[in-house]
Amino acid sequence: MEQHTDLQEIIEYLNPSELDYQDWVNVGMALKHEGYSVEVWDAWSKNDHRYHAGECEKKWNTFHGSNSPVTAGTIVQLAMDHGWKPSYTAYELGWDDEISAEGVVVDCSWVEGKEIHEPRNWNPVNEIIRYLETLFDPSENVGYVTGSWERTDEKGTKYLPQKGCWDRTAGQLIEALNGCNGDVGAVLGDYKEEAGAWIRFNPLDGKGCKGENVTEFRYALVESDAMDLEQQNAIIRELELPVACLVFSGKKSLHAIVRVEATDYKEYQKRVEYLYDICKKNGLIIDTQNKNPSRLSRLPGVMRAGKKQYIIDTNIGKNSWQEWYEWIESVNDDLPDTESLENVWNDLPELAPPLIENVLRQGHKMLIAGPSKAGKSFALIELCIAIAEGRRWFSWNCSQGRVLYVNLELDRASCLHRFKDVYEALGWSARNLSNIDIWNLRGKSIPMDKLAPKLIRRAAKKNYMAIIIDPIYKVITGDENSADQMANFCNQFDKVCTELGCAVIYCHHHSKGSQGGKRSMDRASGSGVFARDPDAMLDLIELDVTDDLRKQEQNKTVCAACQRYLDSHFEWEDDLSQDDLCSQVQMMSYCKEHLSPMQMRELQEHIDADLAVANTKTAWRIDGTLREFPKFKPVNLWFDYPIHHTDQSGVLDDIQPEDEKPNWKKGLEARKKQGESQRKNKQAKVDMAIESFKFEHHDTYPTVKELYEQIKSSSEAVGEKYPAEKTLWNSLKKYGYTTDKETKRIIPLP
């Protein structure tokens, strides 16, 4: 069965005369969006007594599409609201179509109509006073209309309201009504009994009756004239709408004045949209043209075409908007039922298999946190590749599978080049590139609550084992220091995990300032929810590479460069001890003995290049907070751009991160560095003074006294302190010098 035939059958179920103008337009927009012709909409619209030839085509030409188009789902929902039940083969909805059970409280097929009863002792004055006292404070201005005018067309005669009055308060009207002896017209003005009278349900400023004249956005109008009165009454009550006043219009509709209690017009719009949506989902076919806060409603206490306009009830349903809203939201919570542990004790479900050995299970969440320059993005790219290839990531084995990398920060070219650079630096063959998908969203990222459904739609049926989002600050919604807002944000990751059955891995930055004294799980910026929400959190913190440690790494770099060069350029015998192979002095000496000068120059170029890279390496430690596995021993890494290497030698084990050192140790190290700096400065002054003297005296070394005079002269010139001559005598050996016994001149120590 073709799609067009299916939708045409569905709209034939709808009676256009029962729809309001907006629903009629929505049907047209949905038909055009789905590829139908205007003739389909026009032929269907002819069943409405309001039909005008040519109107469909004129309106059709104004439908140009939008970023949020009206789709086939709108037609399907309208039909279901009117009792249509789809067969399983009738129509397949697209990804962007939505039919939700959220907010459904009333099953219309089981609702019995609730009769309304005309008041036996109807008192027009009391009706109006009761209405005013229910909706308004005495000091608030009330807008009302008793004058009307007639409009006649092919559909008949209709009475429409004039502008009316708005310059009197509720208190003034009540006082006048109490003294009018039943003559309502003497207070409000005479009205035509064929037309009835109207009143505005929100207070005005006394200067007009438009939307800008509304002073309190207190109530909204819910009106339905396409259903039986008894059914309207029943659904309004079943929905427990917070109705302040329920009025019979005197014709075929009830007017429910519903509390929305908005603080401003923007909030009023949102709440009315929500209210109308819930009414629609629960089968209450309402007039959606009543959204204006200055809209007129029917005034009780007057006649209309031989029938009374009267109050049916006041203060029914929930007491406030907030109470009703919370109730609606709780009815369809989609939460699972409780279960007895006894029933599953002997048949426990299987645990999800590990994705990262001893760290993270499949279908779970993991956060990587760290400061800038920690190479977090490179670490995540390494993880993508490890999962795709089924290899080790740092010190953990990874299960093999498909992975999606959501790139929010890098431009497309940079991102793709990074993947290739990391592959080459790891030295792995790119055998499973088809396991890696990349979604480049730089400049196009949206808040996570909007991104999650789009991500789910694109990732469905791809069988991803993991989705990696880098970084999350680009998609954070709300204040990252707010626990409740960040809990809602993190819930989006749960939706992705649940809907797709895959792990979600994301990274975040450390908060500003010192991290000293904080546990690893508390270093991530913002609310503590970030650390407590994921099933695994890995925290990167930098290690302080000391001068001694840096020299060790330089020694290793030189030794490795020598061995590589000898292996590739020289057939050398293994005539060096293990200690010699680990000594740059011995290795360089061996190379000088066995290589030509040209080869030595080439080797030195390699060494210089390797040292330049080695000197930029940074050291890091990964600590973990795990929910599913025991805590692991911290893993030490070298970040050697563009990849991380685990520290196999153990030289990083004893280093304490700067921020984790106690204050006494920081002070001790600071004093030690200061002392070393001062010693180097003194050494430099002595060396400079000796060289200056030698330059002036034809390469002759000075005596101690001459050296003292040289240092004294240069120090006084710049206003610096200088040592005493005796101190200089006592410190010669410390500076690397002694005196010649014969000449008494200073000479370097042998």
Side-chain angles (χ1 to χ4, degrees), residues 91-158:
Y91 182 77
E92 182 178 352
L93 296 179
W95 278 107
D96 292 321
D97 301 333
E98 180 179 348
I99 296 179
S100 172
E102 276 188 42
V104 177
V105 178
V106 179
D107 185 347
C108 296
S109 61
W110 290 93
V111 172
E112 294 184 6
K114 184 174 178 61
E115 293 183 13
I116 60 173
H117 301 284
E118 185 176 304
R120 294 179 181 178
N121 300 313
W122 185 61
N123 184 319
V125 169
N126 289 344
E127 286 276 314
I128 299 172
I129 290 176
R130 183 183 176 192
Y131 188 92
L132 293 173
E133 289 179 339
T134 300
L135 299 187
F136 300 96
D137 293 334
S139 61
E140 292 176 333
N141 283 75
V142 179
Y144 58 91
V145 178
T146 53
S148 59
W149 58 282
E150 297 180 30
R151 185 180 73 182
T152 304
D153 54 24
E154 67 272 12
K155 300 176 185 178
T157 299
K158 187 173 183 179

Side-chain angles (χ1 to χ4, degrees), residues 211-230:
E212 62 262 28
N213 300 116
V214 173
T215 60
E216 294 285 340
F217 299 93
R218 195 177 295 155
Y219 306 107
L221 173 61
V222 170
E223 176 194 3
S224 174
D225 57 5
M227 303 172 65
D228 292 338
L229 291 172
E230 291 78 8

Side-chain angles (χ1 to χ4, degrees), residues 714-732:
S714 60
S715 297
E716 287 179 342
V718 293
E720 292 181 351
K721 293 182 178 181
Y722 51 89
E725 185 177 345
K726 185 176 180 181
T727 303
L728 194 57
W729 267 107
N730 296 332
S731 303
L732 273 182

Side-chain angles (χ1 to χ4, degrees), residues 140-381:
E140 292 176 333
N141 283 75
V142 179
Y144 58 91
V145 178
T146 53
S148 59
W149 58 282
E150 297 180 30
R151 185 180 73 182
T152 304
D153 54 24
E154 67 272 12
K155 300 176 185 178
T157 299
K158 187 173 183 179
Y159 293 94
L160 300 175
Q162 297 176 350
K163 285 190 175 182
C165 302
W166 51 76
D167 59 352
R168 298 164 77 184
T169 66
Q172 290 171 336
L173 292 173
I174 291 171
E175 183 179 1
L177 287 167
N178 280 326
C180 74
N181 296 320
D183 186 2
V184 172
V187 177
L188 303 179
D190 293 329
Y191 67 92
K192 294 179 182 178
E193 291 197 358
E194 296 86 353
W198 298 264
I199 190 168
R200 302 183 195 278
F201 42 82
N202 280 314
L204 305 173
D205 60 8
K207 300 176 183 179
C209 60
K210 296 183 178 180
E212 62 262 28
N213 300 116
V214 173
T215 60
E216 294 285 340
F217 299 93
R218 195 177 295 155
Y219 306 107
L221 173 61
V222 170
E223 176 194 3
S224 174
D225 57 5
M227 303 172 65
D228 292 338
L229 291 172
E230 291 78 8
Q231 192 176 17
Q232 294 179 44
N233 191 24
I235 295 177
I236 287 171
R237 294 173 186 273
E238 287 282 338
L239 269 177
E240 294 203 40
L241 294 177
V243 176
C245 199
L246 185 63
V247 176
F248 173 53
S249 68
K251 199 171 183 183
K252 57 180 181 178
S253 67
L254 304 184
H255 286 204
I257 311 303
V258 180
R259 294 183 178 90
V260 292
E261 298 159 346
T263 56
D264 53 31
Y265 181 59
K266 187 176 182 180
E267 185 176 52
Y268 181 86
Q269 287 179 301
K270 290 182 179 179
R271 291 190 174 187
V272 171
E273 290 291 348
Y274 181 87
L275 171 66
Y276 280 21
D277 183 57
I278 294 298
C279 290
K280 182 178 178 181
K281 287 180 177 179
N282 286 275
L284 187 60
I285 306 169
I286 60 176
D287 186 351
T288 58
Q289 299 182 67
N290 291 327
K291 296 178 180 179
N292 194 315
S294 63
R295 187 79 180 181
L296 287 168
S297 179
R298 285 291 168 174
L299 174 69
V302 300
M303 298 296 295
R304 179 187 181 189
K307 291 186 177 182
K308 300 180 180 73
Q309 294 182 181
Y310 59 85
I311 294 175
I312 299 170
D313 215 337
T314 60
N315 299 316
I316 60 175
K318 299 298 182 183
N319 292 324
S320 67
W321 168 269
Q322 190 62 33
E323 183 182 341
W324 177 74
Y325 173 79
E326 291 174 356
W327 176 69
I328 287 292
E329 290 294 301
S330 68
V331 168
N332 300 101
D333 58 17
D334 294 327
L335 298 177
D337 293 331
T338 60
E339 58 180 333
S340 170
L341 181 60
E342 182 182 13
N343 294 337
V344 298
W345 186 258
N346 294 317
D347 188 23
L348 293 174
E350 290 187 12
L351 292 170
L355 174 65
I356 304 173
E357 183 182 31
N358 297 324
V359 174
L360 183 70
R361 294 190 183 280
Q362 296 179 26
H364 288 196
K365 299 177 294 181
M366 184 172 81
L367 166 66
I368 296 179
S372 60
K373 311 306 179 186
K376 297 187 294 295
S377 292
F378 288 104
L380 291 176
I381 290 174

Side-chain angles (χ1 to χ4, degrees), residues 51 148 190 222 249 303 347 370 407 411 427 445 476 509 532 568 571 602 649 703 718 729:
Y51 174 81
S148 59
D190 293 329
V222 170
S249 68
M303 298 296 295
D347 188 23
N407 167 40
D411 66 75
S445 56
I476 284 180
H509 55 85
R532 290 156 182 81
S568 59
E571 294 184 6
E602 188 177 22
S649 64
T703 65
V718 293
W729 267 107

Side-chain angles (χ1 to χ4, degrees), residues 546-645:
T546 63
D547 291 341
D548 290 341
L549 182 55
R550 183 71 69 186
K551 288 177 181 177
Q552 289 182 41
E553 291 303 305
Q554 292 169 348
N555 179 77
K556 291 179 185 176
T557 300
V558 173
C559 292
C562 290
Q563 288 190 53
R564 284 198 308 273
Y565 193 88
L566 289 171
D567 286 339
S568 59
H569 295 84
F570 184 75
E571 294 184 6
W572 60 304
E573 298 180 6
D574 190 8
D575 52 355
L576 290 173
S577 68
Q578 195 64 37
D579 289 340
D580 290 340
L581 291 172
C582 296
S583 168
Q584 71 179 77
V585 174
Q586 295 299 325
M587 289 300 297
M588 289 298 290
S589 176
Y590 183 88
C591 289
K592 287 177 182 178
E593 291 177 9
H594 294 83
L595 299 177
S596 68
M598 184 182 70
Q599 288 176 319
M600 280 301 299
R601 286 194 296 272
E602 188 177 22
L603 171 60
Q604 189 62 51
E605 290 176 1
H606 290 307
I607 291 173
D608 292 342
D610 289 351
L611 284 175
V613 173
N615 289 333
T616 63
K617 289 200 310 184
T618 51
W620 300 87
R621 178 168 294 156
I622 295 184
D623 201 359
T625 303
L626 310 179
R627 182 170 290 143
E628 293 282 322
F629 298 96
K631 186 175 179 65
F632 57 79
K633 181 183 177 182
V635 176
N636 295 320
L637 305 169
W638 288 100
F639 180 43
D640 186 3
Y641 183 94
I643 62 173
H644 298 78
H645 298 285

